[in-house]
Amino acid sequence: MKIRYLSVVAASLLVAACSSGPEENANVGGTGGQATGTSMNAPVPGSPEDFIAKAKDRVFFALDRSDLDESAVKSLMGQVAWLKQYPTTKITIEGHADERGTREYNLALGERRANAVKQFMQAQGVAAARISTVSYGKERPAVVGSNEYAWSQNRRAVTVVAK
Amino acid sequence: MNVLANALFRTKAGFAALAVGLALCLAAAPARAELRIDITRGNVDPIPVAVPAFGGDDDRAAKMGADIAGVLQADLERSGLFRGIDKQAFIQTFASMQVQPRFPDWQAINAQGLVQGRTATMPDGRLRVEFRLWDVFAAQQLKAQAYVTEMSNWRRIAHIMADQVYERLTGESGYFDTRVVYIAESGPATKRIKRLAMMDQDGANHRFLTDGSDLVLTPRFSPSTQEITYMSYYNGVPRVYLYNIDSGKRERLGDFPGMTFAPRFSPDGNRVIMSMARGGASDIYTMDLRTLERRRLTNTPAIDTSPSYSPDSQYVVFNSDRGGNQQLYVMAGDGSGVRRISHGEGTYATPVWSPRGDYIAFTKMAQGRFFIGVMKPDGSGERLLSDGFLVEGPTWAPNGRVLMFFRQNPSDARGQGGDSYLYSIDLTGYNERRVVTPMEASDPAWSPLIP
């Protein structure tokens, strides 16, 4: 189990590193990643690892915005499909902001982003009782660095499946 | 030697168990001091002040007298308004307070102010400290006072006397007998450890109030300085808490269905005003600490946060994006009569009403930079005091003439840099200096004068 998990993390690091584009040395921290399910050892179906492997676990937002763009909707549709396949799972949506805002406002902005994802999922038929939200404001960046790439990665809502 | 009448009283709570003896002013005439500083001007030349070691009746008292003089002088120097004079230059040395200053000796080394003091051990083991402030060139006594306290309170006595000197020479009340609560930070940005920490205004008596296992943010003092309200992710649920400094007890404030954050006490200490986020909207609420009655002050789909009361409790200034981006608004204490007060370029956040009521400090974001600024409560007279990649979260010293905030530097793509520290600055925009903390720091909140 541990080995499987590590391989997923390794795959996600690889993908994230590839997607970092022109920014060099972009580091990935935090939990999760954008694994594509290419890992050799498939995680247990319906597990948090399976969710990360099969669906994109996070969506990104424009500066100071909380509306879902086309790519966010696509990712969320994948999440919804997985959640419908495993209807007993529960999730927490973590809303985050980049470092370019004040702490208190960013807490509110993170909540607004998490709520935007929750609203979308509810509209797609995921029961509200399965979804909780939490905001971390700018307290838990996924990518370190004071640059546009890091900020774009940190303005996010991450769906975490409960263990 | 004049007779000093010591009227003793004890502070209410047991934090320091300080017994202060207020003495009579020894000066017969309420002198018109020539030695006076106008701190409403910009960059002032610091006034040279001599603070010789306070003489002591015995070795222990003498040691304490030297330490007290050192703390007092450091307070005065940090204000940027005074400059200590090197003790090597002193011509006259005091054996005791009975000795009158030889003013020509002090004029010769260009001391304009002279703080003369004496310490003594009382029969009951307590410490007695007296001091006199002299205008050297007018050869005139400006202030004299005596205190009796437990030995362990010697630093507070030094701060209280520094406040007396500051007040006498500037006409403004002092701010040295105060504390700062803040967030001590360590670890990488992705797994930052944050602890509630408290220290005297000069960095002494530092202590941690939480162990870092929960993320904690935005602490603020109660008017009595005995309680702190702050936000904690205890058990992963972000809510506003109260922390009692004496007992070390913490309690969750109210039972709100959504995240509560951005708390501040009302000026009378009976309420906490804060935001609750729910369903994508953040609104402002108050909670009465005696009745636990909850009251909603704003009700919009926008983000309304960072509320701060005016010192007379009649108004609340807050930050809202109801107009499209973050601006400052003022409303009456019951939530009525909302009006926007910020109109400059950029966006505005974290408004804090000065304890004197004459200004509102804020964080401003414009052209990719952050600023600390002040404006009048009607929004006029905006002035920017400091700027940087990220400066945030101003807090006022109780005299409303000095502010503290935090400054975070940018980090590189490997996460190097990004360090965060506290700074103080005068309302004039001068005298910015780092506030020394044992580790990285953010979210400072200045206490009122300690009762």
Coordinates of all heavy atoms in Angstrom, one line a residue, chain A residues 23-30 64 66 99-113 115-116 119 133-147 151 154, chain B residues 189-190 192 194 215 217-218 220 231 233 238 259 261-262 277-282 301-303 306 319 321 326 349-350 363 368 370 389-390 392 406 408 410-415 442-443:
Chain A
E23 N 8.9 28.4 -16.2 CA 9.5 28.7 -14.9 C 10.4 27.5 -14.5 O 10.0 26.4 -14.5 CB 8.4 28.8 -13.8 CG 7.5 30.0 -14.0 CD 8.1 31.3 -13.7 OE1 9.2 31.3 -13.1 OE2 7.6 32.3 -14.2
E24 N 11.6 27.9 -14.2 CA 12.5 26.8 -13.8 C 12.4 26.6 -12.3 O 12.0 27.5 -11.5 CB 13.9 27.1 -14.2 CG 14.4 28.5 -13.9 CD 15.8 28.7 -14.4 OE1 16.3 27.8 -15.0 OE2 16.2 29.8 -14.2
N25 N 12.8 25.4 -11.8 CA 12.9 25.1 -10.4 C 11.5 25.3 -9.7 O 11.5 25.5 -8.5 CB 13.9 26.1 -9.7 CG 15.2 25.9 -10.3 OD1 15.6 24.8 -10.7 ND2 16.0 27.0 -10.4
A26 N 10.5 25.2 -10.4 CA 9.2 25.2 -9.7 C 9.0 24.0 -8.8 O 9.1 22.9 -9.3 CB 8.0 25.3 -10.7
N27 N 8.8 24.2 -7.6 CA 8.7 23.1 -6.7 C 7.2 22.8 -6.4 O 6.4 23.7 -6.4 CB 9.3 23.4 -5.3 CG 10.8 23.1 -5.3 OD1 11.3 22.7 -6.4 ND2 11.5 23.3 -4.2
V28 N 7.0 21.5 -6.2 CA 5.6 21.2 -5.8 C 5.6 20.7 -4.4 O 6.4 19.9 -3.9 CB 5.1 20.0 -6.7 CG1 3.8 19.5 -6.2 CG2 5.0 20.5 -8.1
G29 N 4.7 21.3 -3.6 CA 4.6 20.9 -2.2 C 3.1 20.5 -2.0 O 2.3 20.4 -2.8
G30 N 2.8 20.3 -0.7 CA 1.5 20.0 -0.3 C 1.0 18.6 -0.7 O 1.8 17.8 -1.0
D64 N -8.1 37.0 -7.8 CA -9.3 37.6 -7.1 C -10.6 37.1 -7.6 O -11.6 37.7 -7.4 CB -9.2 39.1 -7.2 CG -9.6 39.8 -5.9 OD1 -9.9 39.1 -5.0 OD2 -9.6 41.0 -5.9
S66 N -13.5 33.8 -8.3 CA -13.9 32.5 -7.8 C -14.8 31.8 -8.8 O -15.4 30.7 -8.5 CB -14.7 32.6 -6.5 OG -15.8 33.5 -6.6
E99 N -0.4 34.4 -2.4 CA 0.1 35.2 -1.3 C -0.1 36.7 -1.5 O 0.3 37.5 -0.7 CB 1.6 34.9 -1.1 CG 2.5 35.4 -2.3 CD 4.0 35.1 -2.2 OE1 4.4 34.6 -1.1 OE2 4.7 35.4 -3.1
R100 N -0.6 37.1 -2.7 CA -0.7 38.5 -3.0 C -2.0 39.1 -2.5 O -2.7 39.8 -3.3 CB -0.6 38.7 -4.6 CG 0.7 38.1 -5.1 CD 1.9 38.7 -4.4 NE 2.1 40.1 -4.8 CZ 2.8 40.9 -4.1 NH1 3.2 40.6 -2.9 NH2 3.0 42.2 -4.5
G101 N -2.4 38.8 -1.3 CA -3.6 39.5 -0.7 C -3.4 39.5 0.7 O -2.5 38.9 1.3
T102 N -4.3 40.2 1.4 CA -4.2 40.3 2.9 C -4.8 39.0 3.5 O -5.7 38.4 2.9 CB -4.9 41.5 3.4 OG1 -6.2 41.6 2.8 CG2 -4.1 42.8 3.1
R103 N -4.3 38.7 4.7 CA -4.7 37.4 5.3 C -6.2 37.1 5.4 O -6.7 36.1 5.1 CB -4.0 37.3 6.6 CG -4.0 35.9 7.2 CD -3.2 35.8 8.5 NE -1.9 36.4 8.6 CZ -0.8 36.0 7.9 NH1 -0.9 35.0 7.1 NH2 0.3 36.7 8.1
E104 N -6.8 38.1 6.0 CA -8.2 37.9 6.3 C -9.1 37.9 5.1 O -10.0 37.0 4.9 CB -8.7 39.0 7.3 CG -8.1 38.9 8.7 CD -8.4 40.0 9.6 OE1 -8.8 41.1 9.1 OE2 -8.1 39.9 10.8
Y105 N -8.8 38.8 4.1 CA -9.6 38.7 2.9 C -9.4 37.4 2.2 O -10.3 36.8 1.6 CB -9.2 39.9 2.0 CG -10.0 40.0 0.7 CD1 -11.3 40.6 0.7 CD2 -9.6 39.4 -0.5 CE1 -12.0 40.6 -0.4 CE2 -10.3 39.4 -1.6 CZ -11.6 40.0 -1.6 OH -12.3 40.0 -2.7
N106 N -8.1 36.9 2.2 CA -7.8 35.7 1.5 C -8.5 34.5 2.2 O -8.8 33.5 1.5 CB -6.3 35.4 1.4 CG -5.7 36.2 0.3 OD1 -6.4 36.9 -0.4 ND2 -4.4 36.0 0.1
L107 N -8.7 34.5 3.5 CA -9.5 33.5 4.1 C -10.9 33.4 3.5 O -11.5 32.4 3.2 CB -9.6 33.7 5.6 CG -8.3 33.4 6.4 CD1 -8.4 33.9 7.8 CD2 -8.0 31.9 6.4
A108 N -11.5 34.6 3.4 CA -12.9 34.7 2.8 C -12.9 34.3 1.4 O -13.8 33.6 0.9 CB -13.4 36.2 2.9
L109 N -11.8 34.7 0.6 CA -11.7 34.3 -0.8 C -11.6 32.8 -1.0 O -12.2 32.2 -1.9 CB -10.5 35.0 -1.4 CG -10.3 34.9 -2.9 CD1 -11.6 35.3 -3.7 CD2 -9.1 35.7 -3.3
G110 N -10.8 32.2 -0.1 CA -10.7 30.7 -0.1 C -12.0 30.0 0.1 O -12.3 29.0 -0.5
E111 N -12.8 30.5 1.0 CA -14.1 30.0 1.3 C -15.0 30.1 0.1 O -15.8 29.2 -0.2 CB -14.7 30.7 2.6 CG -15.8 29.9 3.2 CD -17.2 30.3 2.6 OE1 -17.3 31.3 1.9 OE2 -18.2 29.6 2.8
R112 N -14.9 31.3 -0.5 CA -15.7 31.5 -1.7 C -15.4 30.6 -2.8 O -16.3 30.1 -3.5 CB -15.5 33.0 -2.1 CG -16.5 33.5 -3.2 CD -16.1 34.8 -3.6 NE -16.9 35.9 -3.1 CZ -16.6 37.2 -3.3 NH1 -15.6 37.5 -4.0 NH2 -17.4 38.1 -2.7
R113 N -14.1 30.3 -3.0 CA -13.7 29.4 -4.0 C -14.2 27.9 -3.7 O -14.7 27.2 -4.6 CB -12.2 29.4 -4.2 CG -11.7 30.7 -4.9 CD -10.2 30.9 -4.9 NE -9.9 32.0 -5.8 CZ -8.7 32.7 -5.7 NH1 -7.8 32.3 -4.9 NH2 -8.5 33.7 -6.5
N115 N -16.6 27.1 -2.0 CA -18.0 27.1 -2.1 C -18.5 27.0 -3.6 O -19.5 26.4 -3.9 CB -18.6 28.3 -1.4 CG -20.1 28.2 -1.3 OD1 -20.6 27.4 -0.5 ND2 -20.8 29.0 -2.1
A116 N -17.7 27.7 -4.4 CA -18.1 27.6 -5.9 C -18.0 26.2 -6.4 O -18.8 25.8 -7.1 CB -17.1 28.5 -6.7
Q119 N -21.0 24.3 -4.9 CA -22.2 24.6 -5.6 C -22.3 23.8 -6.9 O -23.4 23.3 -7.3 CB -22.3 26.1 -5.9 CG -22.3 27.0 -4.7 CD -23.7 26.9 -3.9 OE1 -24.7 26.6 -4.5 NE2 -23.7 27.2 -2.6
T133 N -16.5 22.0 3.4 CA -15.5 23.0 2.8 C -14.6 23.5 3.9 O -15.1 23.6 5.1 CB -16.2 24.2 2.1 OG1 -17.0 24.8 3.0 CG2 -17.0 23.7 0.9
V134 N -13.4 23.9 3.6 CA -12.6 24.6 4.5 C -11.7 25.6 3.7 O -11.3 25.3 2.6 CB -11.7 23.7 5.3 CG1 -10.8 22.9 4.4 CG2 -11.0 24.4 6.4
S135 N -11.5 26.8 4.3 CA -10.6 27.7 3.6 C -9.2 27.8 4.4 O -9.2 27.9 5.6 CB -11.2 29.1 3.6 OG -10.2 30.0 3.1
Y136 N -8.2 27.8 3.6 CA -6.9 28.0 4.2 C -6.3 29.4 3.8 O -5.1 29.7 4.1 CB -5.9 26.9 3.8 CG -6.2 25.6 4.5 CD1 -6.9 24.6 3.9 CD2 -5.8 25.5 5.9 CE1 -7.2 23.4 4.6 CE2 -6.1 24.3 6.6 CZ -6.8 23.3 5.9 OH -7.1 22.2 6.6
G137 N -7.1 30.2 3.1 CA -6.6 31.5 2.6 C -5.2 31.3 2.0 O -5.0 30.5 1.1
K138 N -4.2 32.1 2.4 CA -2.9 32.0 1.8 C -2.0 31.2 2.7 O -0.7 31.3 2.5 CB -2.3 33.4 1.5 CG -2.2 34.3 2.8 CD -1.5 35.6 2.3 CE -1.4 36.6 3.5 NZ -0.7 37.9 3.1
E139 N -2.5 30.5 3.6 CA -1.7 29.8 4.6 C -1.0 28.5 4.1 O 0.0 28.1 4.7 CB -2.5 29.5 5.9 CG -3.2 30.7 6.4 CD -2.3 31.9 6.7 OE1 -1.2 31.7 7.2 OE2 -2.7 33.0 6.4
R140 N -1.5 27.9 3.1 CA -1.0 26.6 2.7 C -0.8 26.6 1.2 O -1.5 25.9 0.4 CB -2.0 25.5 3.1 CG -2.0 25.2 4.6 CD -0.7 24.5 5.1 NE -0.7 24.3 6.5 CZ -0.1 25.1 7.4 NH1 0.5 26.2 7.0 NH2 -0.2 24.7 8.7
P141 N 0.3 27.3 0.7 CA 0.5 27.2 -0.8 C 0.9 25.8 -1.2 O 1.5 25.1 -0.4 CB 1.7 28.2 -0.9 CG 2.3 28.3 0.4 CD 1.2 28.1 1.4
A142 N 0.6 25.5 -2.4 CA 1.0 24.2 -3.0 C 2.4 24.3 -3.6 O 3.2 23.4 -3.6 CB 0.0 23.7 -4.0
V143 N 2.6 25.5 -4.2 CA 3.9 25.7 -4.9 C 4.6 26.9 -4.3 O 4.0 28.0 -4.1 CB 3.6 26.0 -6.4 CG1 4.9 26.3 -7.1 CG2 2.9 24.8 -7.0
V144 N 5.9 26.8 -3.9 CA 6.6 27.9 -3.3 C 7.1 28.8 -4.4 O 7.2 28.5 -5.5 CB 7.7 27.4 -2.4 CG1 7.2 26.6 -1.3 CG2 8.8 26.7 -3.3
G145 N 7.4 30.0 -4.0 CA 8.0 31.0 -4.9 C 7.0 32.2 -5.1 O 5.8 32.0 -5.1
S146 N 7.6 33.4 -5.2 CA 6.9 34.6 -5.5 C 6.9 34.9 -6.9 O 7.7 35.8 -7.4 CB 7.4 35.7 -4.6 OG 7.4 35.4 -3.3
N147 N 6.2 34.1 -7.7 CA 6.2 34.3 -9.2 C 4.8 33.9 -9.7 O 4.0 33.3 -9.0 CB 7.3 33.5 -9.9 CG 7.2 32.0 -9.5 OD1 6.2 31.4 -9.9 ND2 8.1 31.5 -8.8
W151 N 1.8 31.5 -8.1 CA 0.5 32.1 -7.7 C -0.7 31.5 -8.4 O -1.7 31.2 -7.8 CB 0.5 33.7 -8.0 CG 1.6 34.4 -7.2 CD1 2.1 34.0 -5.9 CD2 2.3 35.6 -7.5 NE1 3.0 34.9 -5.5 CE2 3.2 35.9 -6.5 CE3 2.2 36.5 -8.6 CZ2 4.0 37.0 -6.5 CZ3 3.1 37.6 -8.6 CH2 4.0 37.8 -7.6
N154 N -1.5 28.3 -6.8 CA -2.0 28.4 -5.4 C -3.4 28.9 -5.3 O -4.1 28.7 -4.3 CB -1.0 29.2 -4.6 CG 0.3 28.5 -4.4 OD1 0.4 27.3 -4.4 ND2 1.4 29.3 -4.2
Chain B
A189 N 7.1 27.3 3.6 CA 5.8 27.9 3.4 C 4.7 27.0 3.2 O 3.6 27.2 3.6 CB 5.9 28.8 2.1
T190 N 5.0 25.8 2.7 CA 3.9 24.8 2.5 C 3.5 24.1 3.7 O 2.4 23.5 3.8 CB 4.4 23.7 1.5 OG1 5.6 23.2 1.9 CG2 4.5 24.3 0.1
R192 N 4.0 25.7 7.0 CA 4.4 26.7 8.0 C 3.8 26.4 9.4 O 2.6 26.0 9.5 CB 3.8 28.0 7.5 CG 4.5 29.2 8.1 CD 5.8 29.5 7.5 NE 6.3 30.9 7.8 CZ 7.6 31.2 7.8 NH1 8.5 30.3 7.6 NH2 7.9 32.5 8.0
K194 N 2.8 27.9 12.9 CA 2.5 29.2 13.5 C 2.1 29.1 15.0 O 1.3 28.3 15.3 CB 1.4 29.9 12.7 CG 1.8 30.2 11.2 CD 0.9 31.2 10.6 CE 1.4 31.6 9.2 NZ 0.7 32.8 8.7
L215 N -2.8 25.6 13.4 CA -2.5 26.9 12.7 C -3.3 28.0 13.4 O -4.5 27.8 13.7 CB -3.0 26.7 11.3 CG -2.9 28.0 10.4 CD1 -1.5 28.4 10.2 CD2 -3.6 27.7 9.0
L217 N -3.9 32.4 13.8 CA -3.8 33.6 13.0 C -4.4 34.8 13.8 O -5.2 34.6 14.6 CB -4.5 33.5 11.7 CG -4.1 32.3 10.7 CD1 -5.1 32.2 9.6 CD2 -2.7 32.5 10.2
T218 N -3.9 36.0 13.4 CA -4.6 37.3 13.7 C -5.0 37.4 15.2 O -6.2 37.6 15.5 CB -5.8 37.5 12.8 OG1 -6.8 36.5 13.1 CG2 -5.4 37.5 11.4
R220 N -5.5 39.4 18.8 CA -5.7 40.8 19.2 C -6.0 40.9 20.7 O -6.7 40.0 21.2 CB -6.9 41.5 18.4 CG -6.5 42.0 17.0 CD -6.9 41.0 16.0 NE -6.2 41.4 14.7 CZ -6.9 41.2 13.5 NH1 -8.1 40.8 13.4 NH2 -6.2 41.5 12.4
M231 N -7.7 33.5 15.7 CA -8.3 32.5 14.9 C -7.5 31.2 15.0 O -6.2 31.3 14.9 CB -8.4 32.9 13.5 CG -9.2 32.0 12.6 SD -8.7 32.1 11.0 CE -9.9 31.2 10.1
Y233 N -7.2 26.9 13.8 CA -7.7 25.7 13.1 C -7.7 24.5 14.0 O -7.4 23.4 13.6 CB -6.8 25.4 11.9 CG -7.1 26.3 10.7 CD1 -6.7 27.7 10.7 CD2 -7.7 25.9 9.6 CE1 -7.0 28.5 9.7 CE2 -8.0 26.7 8.5 CZ -7.6 28.0 8.5 OH -7.9 28.8 7.5
P238 N -11.7 26.0 11.4 CA -11.2 27.4 11.6 C -12.3 28.2 12.3 O -13.4 28.5 11.7 CB -10.9 27.9 10.2 CG -11.7 27.1 9.3 CD -11.9 25.7 9.9
M259 N -17.0 29.3 9.0 CA -15.7 29.8 9.5 C -15.9 31.2 10.1 O -16.4 32.1 9.4 CB -14.7 29.8 8.3 CG -13.4 30.5 8.6 SD -12.2 30.4 7.3 CE -12.9 31.6 6.1
F261 N -13.6 34.5 11.6 CA -12.3 35.0 11.4 C -12.3 36.5 11.6 O -13.3 37.1 11.8 CB -11.7 34.5 10.1 CG -12.4 35.1 8.9 CD1 -11.9 36.1 8.1 CD2 -13.7 34.5 8.5 CE1 -12.6 36.5 7.0 CE2 -14.4 35.0 7.4 CZ -13.8 36.0 6.6
A262 N -11.1 37.0 11.6 CA -10.9 38.5 11.7 C -11.5 39.1 12.9 O -12.3 40.1 12.9 CB -11.4 39.2 10.4
A277 N -17.8 33.4 7.4 CA -17.9 33.0 6.0 C -18.9 31.8 5.8 O -18.7 30.8 6.5 CB -16.6 32.7 5.4
R278 N -19.8 31.9 4.9 CA -20.7 30.8 4.7 C -21.3 31.0 3.3 O -21.8 32.1 2.9 CB -21.8 30.8 5.7 CG -22.4 29.4 5.9 CD -23.5 29.4 6.9 NE -23.9 28.0 7.0 CZ -25.1 27.7 7.4 NH1 -26.0 28.6 7.7 NH2 -25.5 26.4 7.4
G279 N -21.3 29.9 2.5 CA -22.0 29.9 1.2 C -21.3 30.9 0.3 O -22.0 31.5 -0.6
G280 N -20.0 31.2 0.5 CA -19.3 32.1 -0.5 C -19.4 33.5 -0.1 O -18.7 34.4 -0.7
A281 N -20.1 33.8 1.0 CA -20.2 35.2 1.4 C -19.6 35.3 2.8 O -19.8 34.4 3.6 CB -21.7 35.7 1.4
S282 N -19.0 36.5 3.1 CA -18.5 36.7 4.5 C -19.2 38.0 5.0 O -19.2 39.0 4.3 CB -17.0 36.9 4.5 OG -16.3 35.7 4.2
P301 N -23.9 39.4 -0.5 CA -23.2 38.3 -1.1 C -21.7 38.6 -1.2 O -20.9 37.7 -1.6 CB -23.8 38.1 -2.5 CG -24.6 39.3 -2.7 CD -24.7 40.1 -1.5
A302 N -21.2 39.8 -0.7 CA -19.8 40.1 -0.9 C -19.0 39.6 0.3 O -19.5 39.0 1.2 CB -19.8 41.7 -0.9
I303 N -17.7 39.9 0.2 CA -16.8 39.6 1.3 C -16.7 40.9 2.2 O -16.2 41.9 1.7 CB -15.4 39.2 0.8 CG1 -15.5 37.8 0.2 CG2 -14.4 39.2 2.0 CD1 -14.2 37.3 -0.5
S306 N -12.5 42.1 8.2 CA -11.5 43.0 8.9 C -12.2 44.2 9.6 O -11.8 45.4 9.4 CB -10.5 43.5 8.0 OG -9.8 42.5 7.4
N319 N -13.7 46.2 5.5 CA -13.2 46.0 4.2 C -14.2 45.2 3.4 O -14.7 44.2 3.9 CB -11.8 45.2 4.4 CG -11.3 44.6 3.1 OD1 -10.6 43.6 3.2 ND2 -11.5 45.2 2.0
D321 N -15.7 43.9 -0.7 CA -15.5 43.9 -2.2 C -16.9 44.1 -2.8 O -17.1 43.7 -4.0 CB -14.8 42.7 -2.7 CG -15.5 41.4 -2.4 OD1 -16.6 41.4 -1.8 OD2 -15.0 40.3 -2.8
Q326 N -11.8 45.4 -3.4 CA -11.7 45.6 -1.9 C -11.5 47.1 -1.7 O -10.6 47.7 -2.1 CB -10.4 45.0 -1.4 CG -10.5 43.5 -1.2 CD -9.2 42.9 -0.8 OE1 -8.4 42.6 -1.7 NE2 -8.9 42.9 0.5
A349 N -7.4 47.2 2.4 CA -7.7 46.1 3.3 C -7.3 46.5 4.7 O -6.6 47.5 5.0 CB -7.1 44.8 2.8
T350 N -7.6 45.6 5.7 CA -7.2 45.6 7.1 C -7.3 47.0 7.7 O -6.3 47.4 8.4 CB -5.8 45.0 7.3 OG1 -4.8 46.0 6.9 CG2 -5.6 43.7 6.6
T363 N -3.9 48.5 5.0 CA -3.0 48.0 4.0 C -3.6 48.3 2.6 O -4.8 48.2 2.4 CB -3.0 46.4 4.1 OG1 -2.6 46.1 5.4 CG2 -1.9 45.8 3.2
G368 N 1.1 46.2 -8.0 CA 1.8 45.0 -7.6 C 2.6 45.2 -6.3 O 3.5 44.3 -6.0
F370 N 2.6 46.5 -2.0 CA 1.7 46.7 -0.8 C 2.2 47.9 -0.1 O 3.4 48.2 0.0 CB 1.8 45.4 0.1 CG 1.0 44.3 -0.3 CD1 1.2 43.7 -1.6 CD2 0.0 43.8 0.5 CE1 0.4 42.6 -2.0 CE2 -0.8 42.7 0.1 CZ -0.5 42.1 -1.1
F389 N 7.2 44.5 -1.0 CA 6.6 43.4 -1.8 C 5.4 43.0 -1.1 O 4.3 42.7 -1.7 CB 7.6 42.3 -1.9 CG 7.0 41.0 -2.3 CD1 6.7 40.8 -3.7 CD2 6.7 40.0 -1.4 CE1 6.1 39.6 -4.1 CE2 6.1 38.8 -1.8 CZ 5.8 38.6 -3.2
L390 N 5.4 42.8 0.3 CA 4.3 42.6 1.1 C 4.4 43.2 2.4 O 5.3 42.8 3.2 CB 4.0 41.1 1.2 CG 2.6 40.7 1.7 CD1 2.1 39.4 1.2 CD2 2.5 40.7 3.2
E392 N 1.8 44.3 5.6 CA 0.4 44.0 5.9 C 0.1 44.2 7.4 O 1.0 44.1 8.2 CB 0.1 42.6 5.5 CG -1.4 42.2 5.7 CD -1.7 40.7 5.4 OE1 -0.9 40.1 4.6 OE2 -2.7 40.2 5.9
F406 N 3.7 43.9 9.6 CA 4.7 42.9 9.3 C 5.1 43.1 7.8 O 4.3 43.6 7.0 CB 4.3 41.5 9.6 CG 3.2 40.9 8.8 CD1 3.6 40.1 7.7 CD2 1.9 41.0 9.2 CE1 2.6 39.5 6.9 CE2 0.9 40.4 8.4 CZ 1.2 39.7 7.3
Q408 N 6.9 40.9 4.7 CA 7.3 39.6 4.1 C 8.0 39.9 2.8 O 7.5 40.6 2.0 CB 6.1 38.7 3.9 CG 6.5 37.3 3.5 CD 5.3 36.4 3.1 OE1 4.3 36.5 3.8 NE2 5.4 35.7 2.1
P410 N 9.8 38.6 -0.8 CA 9.5 37.5 -1.8 C 10.4 36.3 -1.7 O 11.5 36.4 -1.2 CB 9.7 38.2 -3.2 CG 10.6 39.4 -2.9 CD 10.3 39.8 -1.5
S411 N 9.9 35.2 -2.1 CA 10.8 34.0 -2.1 C 11.1 33.6 -3.5 O 10.3 33.9 -4.4 CB 10.0 32.8 -1.4 OG 8.8 32.5 -2.0
D412 N 12.2 32.9 -3.7 CA 12.5 32.4 -5.1 C 11.8 31.1 -5.3 O 11.0 30.6 -4.5 CB 14.0 32.3 -5.2 CG 14.7 31.2 -4.4 OD1 13.9 30.3 -4.0 OD2 15.9 31.2 -4.2
A413 N 12.0 30.6 -6.5 CA 11.3 29.4 -7.0 C 11.6 28.1 -6.2 O 11.0 27.1 -6.3 CB 11.5 29.1 -8.5
R414 N 12.7 28.2 -5.4 CA 13.0 27.1 -4.5 C 12.5 27.3 -3.1 O 12.7 26.5 -2.2 CB 14.5 26.9 -4.4 CG 15.1 26.1 -5.7 CD 16.4 25.4 -5.3 NE 17.4 26.4 -5.2 CZ 18.2 26.9 -6.2 NH1 18.0 26.4 -7.4 NH2 19.1 27.8 -6.0
G415 N 11.8 28.4 -2.9 CA 11.2 28.7 -1.6 C 12.2 29.4 -0.7 O 11.9 29.6 0.5
S442 N 4.6 37.5 12.2 CA 3.6 38.2 11.5 C 2.5 38.6 12.4 O 2.5 38.3 13.6 CB 3.1 37.3 10.3 OG 2.5 36.2 10.9
D443 N 1.4 39.2 11.9 CA 0.2 39.6 12.6 C 0.4 40.2 14.0 O -0.1 39.7 15.0 CB -0.7 38.3 12.7 CG -1.2 37.8 11.4 OD1 -0.8 38.3 10.4 OD2 -1.9 36.8 11.4

